[in-house]
């Protein structure tokens, strides 16, 4: 019951909704007055009756706070239930209208599905190449050291293959790097188990797996001394090759032949580990290199040097230390290695993407433009359809529907069309994953590939909301303003 002393302005505010705080205060004041009146009827003085009522009632601020919180929750729950009922009614009505105009709905869904599917497919490639972190331990700490060489040994005599920094030197730079390793990749013929097959072999120095944060699931990784010339030939299998060629049977200790050279299997990597370039197995790279290192490949295999930044060392700090090392070379060699001296370190992800990053972003922008063109076409269709429904909108307005209510109902219809188009677009995008995979840099093979995951579903959901607003708002406003 509202208090008689309630200001007139507050009574007018109730047209905009309940005032929980004022209602609680009025209700508490009413009960206090009733209790005080009861005590006064029993013969107590006004002051004594007021004190007795307050004592009987208890801690008034605590009760007021609890009641405000309880009534506020109930009011919010009722409002959400009312809104849900209204949105559900709008959705049901929109579904009936879309089903009644099936040809119109199919045309809109097909138009938007092509734009959303193409945009989503290209975004999956951009996400895999530029946005998604690489599947390594702390991938942002991994860098490619440019121009770093590996010593070469002929008949036991070591020869420096580069005038710049060497791999062993990088491993000793604890002020910049926590570790360094070299890797390369080449094709080999695998035999000795099942029919001979052509595989991709990664050639890595010991410590490569630990640098990336990989752990074997069977056996062990390469030992440090297995990176020295003349040691026994060993190999680590990928999980994929282990399943396809060995059927998942125990394989550690078995021998295989790679280009007629016998290797002992010492370990198996976990699923998904296939860097570099979809490697099926890995063999050690010796440091220093020897002519025997390249014998299985019938020639030289170019290598890259990967390093992990030391704790507390920034990318710029490590690059500055490397530039200082390059500056110690004679002037003629600095000119020869000017690119490496200017940019001695490159982030691993940037190095793997190479110069394909910008073209992929341009292609994503082009597909986004295609989606906007589709939205423009759908807007024209909805404007034409609104002219057909003008009589309906006028009648609903005469029956009491506000302009905002009509706009909301039409926007629900647009949202349902966008959601249906997004579902069809996801089917188109899934079918195009193999096609967009060809746009990916080859060096990312075995590291990151386009995939339908939660990130892609979130992007598609954002596209659905965006397209619903773009193509639905203007026709909805035009239709709701019919006279």
């Amino acid at each position: 019951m509202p208090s008689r002393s309630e200001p007139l302005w507050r009574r007018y505010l109730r047209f905009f909704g309940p005032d929980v705080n004022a209602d609680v205060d009025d209700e508490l004041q009413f009960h206090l007055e009733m209790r005080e009146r009861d005590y006064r009827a029993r013969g107590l003085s006004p002051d004594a009756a007021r004190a007795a009522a307050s004592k009987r009632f208890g801690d008034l601020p605590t009760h007021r706070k609890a009641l405000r919180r309880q009534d506020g929750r109930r009011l919010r729950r009722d409002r959400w239930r009312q809104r849900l009922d209204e949105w559900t009614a709008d959705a049901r009505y929109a579904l009936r209208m879309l089903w009644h105009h099936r040809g119109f709905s199919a045309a809109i869904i097909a138009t938007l599905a092509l734009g959303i599917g193409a945009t989503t497919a290209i975004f999956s490639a951009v996400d895999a190449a530029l946005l998604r972190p690489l599947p390594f331990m702390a991938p942002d700490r991994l860098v490619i050291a440019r121009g770093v060489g590996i010593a070469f040994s002929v008949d036991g005599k070591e020869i420096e293959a580069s005038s710049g920094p060497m791999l062993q030197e990088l491993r000793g730079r604890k002020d910049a790097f926590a570790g360094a390793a070299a890797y390369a990749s080449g094709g080999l013929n695998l035999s000795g188990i099942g029919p001979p097959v052509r595989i991709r072999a990664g050639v890595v120095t010991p410590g490569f797996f630990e640098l990336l944060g990989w752990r074997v699931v069977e056996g062990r990784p390469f030992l440090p001394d297995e990176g020295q010339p003349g040691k026994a030939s060993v190999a680590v299998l990928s999980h994929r090759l282990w399943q396809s060629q060995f059927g998942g049977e125990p394989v550690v200790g078995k021998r295989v032949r790679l280009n007629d050279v016998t290797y002992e299997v010492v370990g198996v990597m976990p699923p998904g580990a296939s860097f570099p370039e979809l490697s099926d197995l890995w063999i050690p790279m010796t440091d220093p290199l020897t002519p025997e290192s390249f014998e299985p490949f019938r020639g030289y295999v170019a290598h890259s040097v990967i390093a992990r930044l030391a704790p507390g060392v920034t990318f710029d700090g490590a690059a500055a230390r490397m530039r200082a090392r390059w500056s110690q070379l004679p002037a003629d060699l600095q000119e020869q290695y000017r690119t490496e001296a200017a940019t001695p370190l490159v982030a691993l992800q940037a190095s793997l993407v190479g110069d394909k990053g910008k073209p992929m972003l341009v292609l994503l922008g082009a597909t986004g433009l295609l989606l906007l063109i589709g939205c423009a076409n759908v807007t024209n269709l909805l404007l034409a359809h609104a002219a057909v429904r003008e009589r309906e909108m006028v009648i609903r307005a005469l029956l009491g529907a506000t302009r905002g209510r009509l706009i909301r109902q039409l926007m629900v219809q647009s949202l349902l069309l966008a959601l249906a188009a997004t579902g069809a677009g996801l089917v188109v995008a899934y079918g195009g994953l193999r096609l967009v995979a060809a746009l990916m840099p080859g060096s990312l093979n075995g590291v990151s590939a386009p995939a339908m995951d939660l990130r892609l579903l979130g992007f598609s959901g954002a596209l659905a909301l965006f397209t619903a607003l773009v193509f639905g708002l203007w026709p909805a406003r035009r239709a709701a303003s019919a006279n």
Side-chain angles (χ1 to χ4, degrees), residues 179-195:
Y183 68 89
S185 180
L188 296 175
N189 295 320
L190 171 68
S191 58
I193 178 69

Side-chain angles (χ1 to χ4, degrees), residues 37 46 54 171 175 314 474 481:
R37 184 181 302 177
S54 299
R171 289 172 174 166
D175 60 334
T314 64
W474 187 21
S481 62

Side-chain angles (χ1 to χ4, degrees), residues 1-321:
M1 174 182 291
S3 173
R4 295 181 180 180
S5 60
E6 181 180 13
L8 185 62
W9 61 268
R10 203 174 73 181
R11 296 184 181 182
Y12 284 117
L13 288 179
R14 293 181 184 274
F15 285 110
F16 300 98
D19 186 346
V20 173
N21 294 339
D23 289 345
V24 169
D25 291 341
D26 291 341
E27 190 70 20
L28 292 176
Q29 184 65 29
F30 169 76
H31 285 288
L32 280 173
E33 290 178 356
M34 292 298 99
R35 180 63 62 184
E36 181 182 349
R37 184 181 302 177
D38 181 59
Y39 281 128
R40 291 175 62 182
R42 296 181 185 182
L44 295 179
S45 64
D47 293 339
R50 188 177 302 109
S54 299
K55 183 178 180 181
R56 178 70 181 272
F57 199 82
D59 188 358
L60 184 61
T62 300
H63 293 323
R64 179 183 292 112
K65 183 178 180 180
L67 290 174
R68 286 179 175 179
R69 184 169 56 249
Q70 177 181 346
D71 288 1
R73 285 198 300 263
R74 182 170 61 246
L75 179 61
R76 288 191 296 270
R77 185 169 57 250
D78 292 343
R79 285 176 174 174
W80 278 109
R81 184 182 297 111
Q82 180 181 359
R83 291 172 183 171
L84 181 61
D85 291 342
E86 291 176 353
W87 282 88
T88 302
D90 288 341
R92 290 175 178 173
Y93 180 77
L95 286 174
R96 288 196 300 269
M97 291 299 301
L98 294 177
W99 178 253
H100 182 68
H101 302 279
R102 292 184 290 273
F104 167 77
S105 303
I108 291 180
I109 292 173
T111 301
L112 292 177
L114 291 176
I116 292 176
T119 306
T120 302
I122 298 301
F123 175 80
S124 67
V126 173
D127 177 57
L130 303 176
L131 305 179
R132 191 190 311 163
L134 299 177
F136 306 133
M137 178 183 66
D140 57 313
R141 306 288 295 174
L142 294 173
V143 296
I144 294 295
R146 304 174 65 180
V148 177
I150 302 178
F152 198 83
S153 177
V154 179
D155 297 331
K157 184 179 180 180
E158 189 169 316
I159 304 172
E160 288 192 359
S162 172
S163 300
M166 306 298 289
L167 177 60
Q168 288 292 352
E169 181 182 346
L170 250 65
R171 289 172 174 166
R173 295 295 302 266
K174 300 303 181 182
D175 60 334
F177 305 107
Y183 68 89
S185 180
L188 296 175
N189 295 320
L190 171 68
S191 58
I193 178 69
V197 292
R198 186 71 174 176
I199 62 162
R200 195 74 181 174
V203 190
V204 301
T205 56
F208 175 79
F209 302 132
E210 294 82 355
L211 195 70
L212 299 182
W214 287 349
R215 296 178 180 272
V216 296
V217 294
E218 296 285 342
R220 61 168 177 83
F222 298 135
L223 300 177
D225 62 349
E226 290 173 340
Q228 299 175 5
K231 294 298 181 179
S233 299
V234 294
V236 173
L237 304 183
S238 69
H239 193 274
R240 181 179 62 254
L241 184 66
W242 179 42
Q243 294 293 325
S244 62
Q245 291 296 113
F246 297 87
E249 297 292 332
V251 70
V252 176
K254 292 187 176 181
R255 297 182 180 276
V256 296
R257 295 184 66 82
L258 301 173
N259 282 27
D260 297 327
V261 178
T262 302
Y263 287 79
E264 179 186 355
V265 177
V266 297
V268 177
M269 297 306 295
S274 56
F275 180 72
E277 298 186 11
L278 286 174
S279 295
D280 296 297
L281 57 76
W282 295 265
I283 59 177
M285 178 188 295
T286 62
D287 184 10
L289 297 171
T290 64
E292 290 76 16
S293 302
F294 308 108
E295 183 178 350
F297 301 97
R298 303 292 193 267
Y300 177 72
V301 179
H303 71 273
S304 299
V305 173
I306 183 174
R308 180 175 291 277
L309 299 179
V313 177
T314 64
F315 178 88
D316 293 336
R321 292 178 175 88

Side-chain angles (χ1 to χ4, degrees), residues 397 400-409 476-482:
T402 63
R403 186 182 182 191
R405 186 71 174 82
L406 295 176
I407 291 177
R408 189 182 69 183
Q409 197 279 318
R477 289 173 61 88
R478 289 286 301 274
S481 62

